[in-house]
Structure formats: C-alpha cells, structure tokens
Amino acid sequence: MPSYLVNHLAQLEAEAIYVLRETAAQFQRPVLLFSGGKDSIVMAWLARKAFWPARLPFPLVHIDTGHNFVETIEFRDQFVKLMEADLKVGSVEESIKQGKALRKRAHASRNKLQTVTLLDTSRYSRPMPPWRWPARRGKGACEGTLFLPP
C-alpha cells in the first residue's frame, strides 16, 4: 500500500508554490526580486516549478548596487537565460547620480539606497513598461521578495 505522507520539505515546497500561484492569480503586476543569492535563486526556481511549462508570469527584478562581483552579474544573466525569464535591472549608481538616493559618506554601504531605486517607479515607467510596486511580500531587501500591486 502506498504511503500518502508528505515529507516536511515537500510540504514547504507545495506551500511556496501555492503562494506563488495565488499571487500571480490575485495581482496584476507582481515582480520577484532577484539578488542572485541563494534565497532568490530558490524562490525563482520554485516559481519556475509553479508555472512550468509556461514562462514566469512576472519579471525578475535585480537592483544593482554597483558593488557586485562580476561573477555575480554573469551568473544572474546565465540564470535568467536558463529560466527564460524577463529581467528588469535598477541601478543604485543611477539613483545617486540623479540625486534621488543620497549617500551620507562616500564609502558607506549602499544597501539602504536599494529601496530608493526599487521604489523609484517614475524611472521605470519611462524606458520600461509601466509596473508599480506599492506593496510587498517576502523577506525584504532584494532576496526573493515578491512585490505586489494593490
């Protein structure tokens, strides 16, 4: 007789896939933040499993702090190509140049400045299709966070 017990990891995976599908069904323009770290890689891979064989119904968003290793950016591009996903890239450096993100010290961390770049919807509405992110669900920062419109 087969066992119908689901192990703990399979249950967590099923719950995550359920949340991703519900998000795509309930909201108009969600996006998945993608840093290239382990958390966002897992979230993107779960999203792929959730919608396979179709493409992801939302883009991946990477906020480039300007402090990434070259290998990180190369991996990001290869991963996005493998996933056949749309990728939107925001630049903290551009936000600083435009005076939208202000550094208190020249060599200070840019982590806090990522939020300014992420929420700068007017920048994204011109060169890219209009997508806005007034609400979010997930960890925060740029690791596997799913942003949801109202």
Side-chain angles (χ1 to χ4, degrees):
M1 179 172 207
S3 173
Y4 292 102
L5 296 177
V6 178
N7 71 31
H8 182 66
L9 287 178
Q11 183 178 355
L12 290 174
E13 179 183 73
E15 287 179 30
I17 287 173
Y18 172 79
V19 169
L20 288 163
R21 288 177 178 162
E22 282 297 305
T23 299
Q26 296 290 328
F27 297 94
Q28 293 177 1
R29 292 180 305 273
V31 299
L32 182 64
L33 295 181
F34 186 78
S35 68
K38 62 186 178 297
D39 296 331
S40 58
I41 291 169
V42 168
M43 287 296 295
W45 198 259
L46 286 171
R48 182 180 188 202
K49 287 183 80 169
F51 300 104
W52 182 262
R55 294 179 66 193
L56 295 182
F58 41 76
L60 301 179
V61 175
H62 177 82
I63 304 301
D64 185 0
T65 62
H67 290 167
N68 293 316
F69 293 110
V70 173
E71 295 84 0
T72 303
I73 301 301
E74 289 172 357
F75 174 80
R76 176 202 69 193
D77 294 341
Q78 291 171 1
F79 186 79
V80 168
K81 186 176 179 180
L82 170 74
M83 298 278 293
E84 297 180 350
D86 294 327
L87 175 68
K88 309 293 183 191
V89 179
S91 170
V92 172
E93 188 63 39
E94 286 299 313
S95 294
I96 292 169
K97 286 179 184 176
Q98 294 172 4
K100 296 176 182 176
L102 304 174
R103 288 186 291 184
K104 300 208 184 234
R105 289 172 283 150
H107 299 292
S109 170
R110 293 184 176 196
N111 289 345
K112 291 180 182 179
L113 303 180
Q114 292 181 58
T115 305
V116 173
T117 303
L118 180 63
L119 297 177
D120 184 13
T121 57
S122 63
R123 178 185 178 280
Y124 290 109
S125 64
R126 289 189 191 107
M128 299 178 202
W131 33 288
R132 298 182 185 275
W133 318 309
R136 72 176 178 220
R137 176 178 294 170
K139 273 182 55 167
C142 286
E143 300 180 11
T145 304
L146 196 59
F147 269 71
L148 313 170

